Amino acid sequence: MTINTINAINIKSMPKKTSLYQKISFILFGLFLTIVILEIGLRIDGFIILSFQERRNIQSIKHKGTCRIMCLGESTTQKQYPPYLEKILNERNIGIKFSVIDKGLAAIGTTTILSLLETNLNKYKPDIVVTMMGCNDGKGIMYYRDIPEADTEIFKHCRVYRFGRLIYMHILTKLKKEGIYRLNNVSSNIKTKSDSQGDKKDPEAKDFYQNNRELFEKEQTFKKAIELNPENNSVYEALGKLYISQGRFAEVEQLCKKAIELNPKNNSAYKALGWLYRDQGRFTEVEQLYKKAIELNPENNSAYKAL
């Protein structure tokens, strides 16, 4: 065997180098395959959950001579209160047997619920319909209102897209919260509007003042008002609400308590303090505060909602 023949065999046996185009193609194919597998998994999971829910609903309508209640809504309904409602009603032993149908479906809105209403009425023929909906209708009530929805129908119905969007929203919320804590640390270094020397020493404080002039001016106005009239309970409350947006919770508690001390009938201060304790998990105190706010002002609808 000649040297040329050996070299030719060695060249043939050497593995071919993968081109950049092939590498990109493999990566894209792997990404596509991962998305497809994840999409299938999410759909199977949803199918299983809905199947168990629907199976229970079918069993409920088989019971003859019962008062049939159909519950419509979103995630606040699906697998939430319907089974407890049925149990509580039947434990009353009032001579009527109740069966509750859970037709709640997470992540839908009023439009979807209404579009399925006639179908559900015809299928389950309920005696009573309970609806709790609207939570998913307005983007304004969400913290993630600046995140655009999918433009195409394909992405709107893609579970992977919605799952990814959910993760993105949680990350964004986390970053926003950290931004608030940073805002708190910076603002605590600012003493007075005219402290130009302090601005030179602390460039971060200077940036805060320039970018949040209105917020800073409000804070200084409230402080000046308290200095001029330390008995003005409403100003303590207003300053406390301003600090809530900055995450300065210890100061919020002190200010709200001071407002209540000066005016025990300030229902709004009770409500603001209840909001603070709610986020701290102090629920017994929260309940007492909201009930006190309602007692002082029975027309305070936001206190009822908060409670």
Side-chain angles (χ1 to χ4, degrees), residues 286-301:
V286 172
E287 183 180 6
Q288 294 172 353
L289 288 164
Y290 284 147
K291 285 183 175 180
K292 184 64 177 179
I294 292 170
E295 178 188 331
L296 293 170
N297 181 13
E299 303 300 320
N300 190 342
N301 63 318

Side-chain angles (χ1 to χ4, degrees), residues 74-306:
E74 305 146 338
S75 57
T76 51
T77 297
Q78 185 182 25
K79 299 180 71 176
Q80 298 299 319
Y81 72 87
Y84 300 103
L85 177 62
E86 180 175 294
K87 181 181 178 183
I88 291 169
L89 289 174
N90 286 323
E91 285 177 348
R92 296 291 177 88
N93 293 321
I94 62 173
I96 301 174
K97 189 72 174 176
F98 294 90
S99 60
V100 177
I101 300 160
D102 181 2
K103 289 303 294 181
L105 187 60
I108 63 173
T110 299
T111 303
T112 306
I113 294 171
L114 293 177
S115 68
L116 298 172
L117 179 59
E118 190 173 351
T119 301
N120 286 327
L121 290 173
N122 292 333
K123 181 176 181 180
Y124 297 103
K125 295 180 172 54
D127 300 296
I128 301 171
V129 177
V130 178
T131 63
M132 182 164 66
M133 56 190 179
C135 296
N136 298 329
D137 289 347
K139 292 182 181 178
I141 64 171
M142 300 179 69
Y143 294 114
Y144 324 110
R145 55 185 177 274
D146 52 341
I147 302 174
E149 289 280 2
D151 294 326
T152 62
E153 288 297 323
I154 295 176
F155 282 108
K156 281 183 180 179
H157 297 289
C158 179
R159 303 290 174 89
V160 175
Y161 167 79
R162 290 159 66 181
F163 181 62
R165 185 171 178 270
L166 181 66
I167 294 173
Y168 175 69
M169 290 191 304
H170 281 292
I171 294 173
L172 187 67
T173 304
K174 181 71 174 177
L175 292 175
K176 284 184 176 181
K177 285 183 177 179
E178 288 181 355
I180 290 175
Y181 297 146
R182 180 179 178 277
L183 181 67
N184 175 30
N185 294 331
V186 174
S187 61
S188 62
N189 294 324
I190 304 174
K191 300 302 179 184
T192 62
K193 179 180 176 182
S194 58
D195 189 6
S196 58
Q197 187 176 2
D199 287 347
K200 291 177 183 178
K201 290 180 180 179
D202 189 353
E204 198 172 32
K206 183 178 179 181
D207 289 341
F208 172 84
Y209 169 70
Q210 290 175 343
N211 296 329
N212 301 274
R213 186 184 185 92
E214 183 181 357
L215 187 66
F216 178 80
E217 289 180 348
K218 281 183 178 179
E219 179 181 1
Q220 298 310 308
T221 301
F222 290 143
K223 285 183 175 180
K224 187 65 178 178
I226 291 172
E227 182 183 332
L228 294 171
N229 182 7
E231 302 301 315
N232 190 337
N233 73 93
S234 61
V235 180
Y236 288 96
E237 178 201 338
L239 183 58
K241 288 180 178 178
L242 183 69
Y243 284 167
I244 285 177
S245 64
Q246 301 176 37
R248 299 165 67 171
F249 301 127
E251 294 167 272
V252 173
E253 183 175 15
Q254 294 175 358
L255 289 163
C256 288
K257 284 184 174 180
K258 184 65 177 179
I260 293 170
E261 178 188 333
L262 292 171
N263 181 12
K265 294 185 178 181
N266 187 338
N267 72 92
S268 184
Y270 284 101
K271 193 176 66 172
L273 190 58
W275 181 93
L276 176 67
Y277 286 172
R278 181 194 64 190
D279 276 14
Q280 295 175 355
R282 299 162 65 174
F283 300 120
T284 302
E285 294 168 272
V286 172
E287 183 180 6
Q288 294 172 353
L289 288 164
Y290 284 147
K291 285 183 175 180
K292 184 64 177 179
I294 292 170
E295 178 188 331
L296 293 170
N297 181 13
E299 303 300 320
N300 190 342
N301 63 318
S302 59
Y304 286 98
K305 180 180 177 182

